[in-house]
Amino acid sequence: MAPIRINGKTADPASPDAPPELVSGNASDSNYILIQCTHRLADPQQRELIALGAQIQEIVDEDLSNDYCTYLCRYVPQELAAIQAKPFVVHTGVYPQHFVLTPDLQELVDRTNVVGASSVESKEAPGYSRKEHTDHELPLDSLQEVPHTVDAEIFLHGNADQTEQQLVQHLLDRGYVNRDSITHGHRNITLTVNPQDLPKIAALDSVRSIERVEEIEDDNDYARDIVEASNVYLNNPTGTYLGQGQIVTVADGGFDKGDPANVHPAFKGRVKQILQLGRTGANLGNDLWGHGTHVAGSAVGCGEMTVGALLDPSGQPLLDPAGKPVLVTKNVSGAAPQAELIFQSMNDATGTKILPANKGSMYTIPYNSNPNARVHSSSWGIPWNAANGQRPYGPTDAQVIDTVVWANPDLLIVRSAGNSGLGKTTTGAQSTAQIGAFSAAKNCITVGNSDTTRPNIDAVYSWAKNTPNLPNVIRKTSSRGPTAEGRTKPDLVAPGTTILSTQSQDPLCPKDTTYGISPDPAFWVFETGSSMAAPCVAGNAAVLRAALLLTMTPSAATLKALLIHGAVDCSGGTYGAAAVGAAPNDVQGFGRLNLKNCIALIALKAADADRAGIEELRLDSTATVPVRRRIEITRKSKKAETRGQPMPATLKVTCVWSDPPGSVLQNKLDFSVVADATAETKNGNTGSATVFDRVNNVQQVVWPLVPHGDVWYSVSGTVLVGMPQPFSIVWTVDYVDP
């Protein structure tokens, strides 16, 4: 057997110090067990466990060094012997209280000198107890340093014996909380509680995890030209693709004056709705801080900026008949300047961002309101900090996103990576990875911050903002991966440095000049950060979706695959003093966004089906053979000196799937490309013929000088029973006639 890692903690069933519940051999005190297996289970083995009463809920840990895989299951029977007897089972035991509190909350409890967990009700009171705990002495510390209360969030097991409402009532009845300090959503409860009561709550059998509530922050620190979003055509009767017919939802602090009918000129007639999550009352979705209006403009804004007065030949301002100067304006557009906007105002009166009790509703309410609201953008998160380090994938942040996308597979969620790239640990050492929490979700697009080519940048930049004006430079503050779970993040980078966008028109909103003063500061402002990069990707995703709707209704995985496939490798650029390595990596992900490449791929697929493809396929748990598709590499040179010879070609294939929620891959797909002529194989992300990527649900093979003849991409793997896995493939063949 091997140590099991859950919720930032580790327990080794083979250790004398293992939690008693984990090694008791009996489940009479809990309806939730862990089953550690020798490998990921195929369909028949999963069904053997199901037949014994084990309802598989999630793969919670996987040891890639020995293939051991641990399943969390709901299990009502008491005896575990029949499960333990299975030849593929290494160990089985009750899900222990040890895993419930996150390490930071456990440390807080330790400092309160709480001794063990109080005895609570038996299993006969449904869902209320784990009877077996061991009292243990915890280290003493100064109680003056311990807060009297802490804001925490409880996450329930799936199919818990208690509903959220029942558990809330239980906590109220025991006096652990008061009614004013507790709210609940779907499988989650947020509360203010005395740290001394946390072990008692953690002992309840319906509770899977409890984590501290952290304040979320904005991810602040010539975008259309850099990503080549201008003048993209595809047999479009209306001309350039500009996001027509699409709706982008932006969740941020506030928007302009808070009134959809009285908005900044860049949004006139295109604000569908302002949803107030943080403040109630008429037009209290307004933007008193500037961040929300700016990111909304980066996604869908379109307006005219005054850049000066028209001069006569003598250099004097030219006047109109009314005697006023004739002004010169310049168009400033976001990524999707004809898309519409739904804005979710999150800030309360203090500027704190408020998430709804049911966090998933933040994504599903706009999604369900309109069939074209299929792109959601957020430019905030829980930042990396020296005290707690990188925040892992959590049930109340990243897992919420993965749950929503798994249930709504055509919803694309875009998130900023953060701006903690310069973060130092408590010892003063440079942190090596920062992306976590919401941005660690498997099924979103996480976006880092690349540089812009804005001229005269040094004239408005201080030392903290000075960059070399090269689009392949990744800003040194941009947070990087891998995630705590080992996944490659960010997925993409996009321009987020000195981005000119819309200034809130609320009279109480300050005019930020940190990144320079625009020629028209009443309406336009410069800002920097991955906050600005994320809406650039979201707007371009809306444009791409509009183009795809001519031939298909794309899933989020297909949009993500296309955006990643069309990205430009930033290798040769820099990240701070270091060179950016070849994509994919944990600085640039799969590269810098390039919409023109994505639109060109769609056009190429329509014009020449042998050179490009976009396919949506599926793998079921009962599949016994891989899903395989053929790509023919056959083009011959047409030049006189090489006529008839095989034309050199580069094959690029990208595979993306939206995985079921869980910190590790739930459905592990093995993606490979095989050339018949040479029997060569290249596996996704590794390039190896024998090693598969066991961590990422975004995988790619780039094969220069691919052998001519039939080349096959192949997808196989292990899939959870009842959870057939859709996946998307995007491929191109790039021939070069030497």
Side-chain angles (χ1 to χ4, degrees):
M1 62 188 70
I4 299 171
R5 301 168 297 262
I6 300 174
N7 208 23
K9 290 182 174 177
T10 300
D12 186 351
S15 168
D17 299 323
E21 314 100 298
L22 188 59
V23 294
S24 67
N26 183 281
S28 59
D29 293 310
S30 177
N31 286 338
Y32 299 94
I33 63 172
L34 297 172
I35 304 175
Q36 188 176 77
C37 301
T38 56
H39 57 279
R40 280 181 177 256
L41 302 182
D43 182 276
Q45 295 165 324
Q46 293 181 51
R47 293 183 187 276
E48 287 184 47
L49 295 181
I50 293 170
L52 293 174
Q55 303 170 20
I56 297 173
Q57 294 199 332
E58 184 183 325
I59 299 172
V60 289
D61 188 39
E62 185 173 25
D63 190 329
L64 299 181
S65 65
N66 57 25
D67 289 338
Y68 283 5
C69 194
T70 302
Y71 294 80
L72 171 62
C73 303
R74 177 172 167 81
Y75 184 74
V76 177
Q78 297 184 8
E79 294 300 323
L80 299 173
I83 293 177
Q84 188 65 59
K86 292 295 179 182
F88 50 81
V89 172
V90 177
H91 180 79
T92 185
V94 166
Y95 182 84
Q97 181 180 342
H98 168 79
F99 286 134
V100 176
L101 294 176
T102 53
D104 59 331
L105 281 182
Q106 185 66 61
E107 189 270 340
L108 181 61
V109 169
D110 290 350
R111 287 196 291 126
T112 64
N113 196 28
V114 176
V115 181
S118 300
S119 177
V120 290
E121 296 86 347
S122 68
K123 189 176 179 179
E124 284 69 32
Y128 284 168
S129 72
R130 293 183 181 89
K131 287 193 296 188
E132 295 191 18
H133 334 259
T134 299
D135 288 351
H136 57 286
E137 293 292 335
L138 301 177
L140 294 172
D141 204 342
S142 169
L143 293 180
Q144 294 179 347
E145 298 178 7
V146 179
H148 294 297
T149 60
V150 62
D151 293 333
E153 188 157 14
I154 299 169
F155 187 70
L156 276 61
H157 283 291
N159 299 321
D161 292 310
Q162 290 173 286
T163 65
E164 298 87 357
Q165 296 92 333
Q166 288 171 331
L167 186 54
V168 166
Q169 190 59 52
H170 177 79
L171 299 177
L172 290 170
D173 291 345
R174 268 73 185 162
Y176 298 154
V177 295
N178 62 63
R179 192 171 296 277
D180 292 337
S181 70
I182 189 166
T183 59
H184 69 84
H186 175 62
R187 290 182 63 187
N188 71 295
I189 298 170
T190 304
L191 72 169
T192 301
V193 63
N194 188 315
Q196 294 185 358
D197 290 327
L198 284 171
K200 305 170 191 177
I201 300 172
L204 303 178
D205 195 45
S206 292
V207 175
R208 175 176 167 179
S209 66
I210 307 176
E211 61 183 37
R212 194 168 193 159
V213 173
E214 302 284 357
E215 185 172 331
I216 56 179
E217 297 180 5
D218 296 334
D219 286 333
N220 264 15
D221 188 86
Y222 291 148
R224 280 180 60 81
D225 291 338
I226 293 171
V227 303
E228 297 192 87
S230 302
N231 301 318
V232 285
Y233 299 87
L234 176 62
N235 300 321
N236 181 8
T238 63
T240 303
Y241 278 99
L242 300 171
Q244 302 94 322
Q246 300 305 297
I247 299 171
V248 177
T249 301
V250 174
D252 210 281
F255 177 72
D256 204 45
K257 299 176 185 176
D259 181 0
N262 182 18
V263 296
H264 188 294
F267 303 97
K268 187 176 181 179
R270 294 187 295 118
V271 180
K272 296 282 289 185
Q273 198 173 12
I274 299 175
L275 303 174
Q276 297 175 194
L277 305 182
R279 292 166 288 165
T280 58
N283 299 337
L284 288 183
N286 56 320
D287 186 4
L288 302 175
W289 303 270
H291 188 267
T293 307
H294 192 281
V295 297
S298 293
V300 302
C302 182
E304 298 296 319
M305 177 178 68
T306 300
V307 295
L310 190 64
L311 303 180
D312 64 19
S314 67
Q316 298 300 310
L318 191 64
L319 303 180
D320 65 14
K324 296 181 179 180
V326 177
L327 300 178
V328 178
T329 63
K330 175 184 177 181
N331 180 263
V332 180
S333 291
Q338 289 187 14
E340 293 179 297
L341 174 70
I342 293 176
F343 194 93
Q344 295 171 305
S345 173
M346 300 172 64
N347 280 9
D348 65 10
T350 69
T352 300
K353 285 185 168 56
I354 303 298
L355 293 170
N358 181 359
K359 292 187 178 70
S361 68
M362 185 171 65
Y363 305 104
T364 57
I365 288 175
Y367 175 90
N368 291 327
S369 72
N370 193 295
N372 286 321
R374 293 296 179 264
V375 179
H376 192 285
S377 182
S378 296
S379 292
W380 44 265
I382 301 172
W384 178 95
N385 63 67
N388 297 325
Q390 187 177 24
R391 190 177 174 97
Y393 182 106
T396 59
D397 41 59
Q399 188 157 335
V400 172
I401 292 174
D402 287 347
T403 300
V404 168
V405 177
W406 175 252
N408 304 281
D410 59 341
L411 174 59
L412 182 71
I413 296 176
V414 181
R415 294 203 61 91
S416 52
N419 303 302
S420 300
L422 293 177
K424 297 285 198 299
T425 67
T426 53
T427 64
Q430 172 65 53
S431 62
T432 56
Q434 303 89 26
I435 293 174
F438 293 96
S439 299
K442 296 174 290 187
N443 298 339
C444 71
I445 294 183
T446 303
V447 186
N449 176 9
S450 62
D451 203 354
T452 54
T453 54
R454 186 174 302 285
N456 301 321
I457 199 169
D458 290 336
V460 296
Y461 259 43
S462 72
W463 69 269
K465 309 170 218 100
N466 189 21
T467 56
N469 303 351
L470 298 172
N472 284 352
V473 168
I474 313 302
R475 187 162 170 80
K476 58 187 176 182
T477 55
S478 185
S479 293
R480 59 190 183 279
T483 68
E485 299 71 37
R487 277 187 293 279
T488 298
K489 288 282 181 175
D491 297 292
L492 294 169
V493 294
T497 302
T498 335
I499 299 300
L500 181 68
S501 188
T502 41
Q503 165 71 39
S504 171
Q505 298 301 287
D506 191 285
L508 297 180
C509 182
K511 305 294 190 289
D512 186 3
T513 60
T514 307
Y515 299 97
I517 302 174
S518 83
D520 194 359
F523 290 92
W524 304 95
V525 61
F526 292 112
E527 295 290 358
T528 289
S530 63
S531 280
M532 287 68 241
C536 178
V537 171
N540 278 283
V543 172
L544 191 58
R545 186 173 188 272
L548 283 170
L549 284 173
L550 293 175
T551 56
M552 66 186 297
T553 301
S555 67
T558 296
L559 282 175
K560 185 175 179 179
L562 263 168
L563 290 165
I564 284 171
H565 193 91
V568 175
D569 190 349
C570 292
S571 57
T574 58
Y575 177 73
V580 176
N585 60 45
D586 296 311
V587 171
Q588 64 162 319
F590 286 82
R592 174 171 46 79
L593 172 71
N594 187 292
L595 181 65
K596 184 177 180 180
N597 286 350
C598 300
I599 297 293
L601 189 156
I602 299 172
L604 182 62
K605 174 181 178 292
D608 191 345
D610 290 336
R611 291 191 56 197
I614 303 169
E615 297 171 278
E616 295 185 344
L617 303 164
R618 193 177 88 159
L619 188 71
D620 193 83
S621 66
T622 59
T624 57
V625 295
V627 175
R628 300 178 77 227
R629 295 291 186 273
R630 181 175 62 185
I631 301 171
E632 297 179 345
I633 313 295
T634 59
R635 298 290 168 90
K636 301 257 173 59
S637 174
K638 296 180 180 180
K639 289 188 174 181
E641 59 272 25
T642 55
R643 187 179 303 277
Q645 296 180 15
M647 196 183 303
T650 295
L651 173 65
K652 185 177 185 179
V653 190
T654 303
C655 176
V656 175
W657 68 98
S658 296
D659 197 56
S663 60
V664 301
L665 287 181
Q666 304 299 294
N667 290 336
K668 181 182 69 66
L669 304 189
D670 292 336
F671 164 61
S672 59
V673 179
V674 182
D676 276 356
T678 60
E680 289 179 85
T681 298
K682 292 187 182 294
N683 294 332
N685 290 352
T686 70
S688 164
T690 57
V691 178
F692 286 100
D693 184 334
R694 306 280 297 277
V695 178
N696 292 290
N697 58 326
V698 178
Q699 299 188 19
Q700 191 173 84
V701 170
V702 180
W703 197 333
L705 300 178
V706 61
H708 271 234
D710 289 343
V711 178
W712 302 79
Y713 68 79
S714 171
V715 178
S716 59
T718 54
V719 173
L720 293 175
V721 170
M723 292 187 174
Q725 182 61 65
F727 62 93
S728 298
I729 297 287
V730 175
W731 61 269
T732 50
V733 182
D734 184 18
Y735 290 98
V736 178
D737 204 351

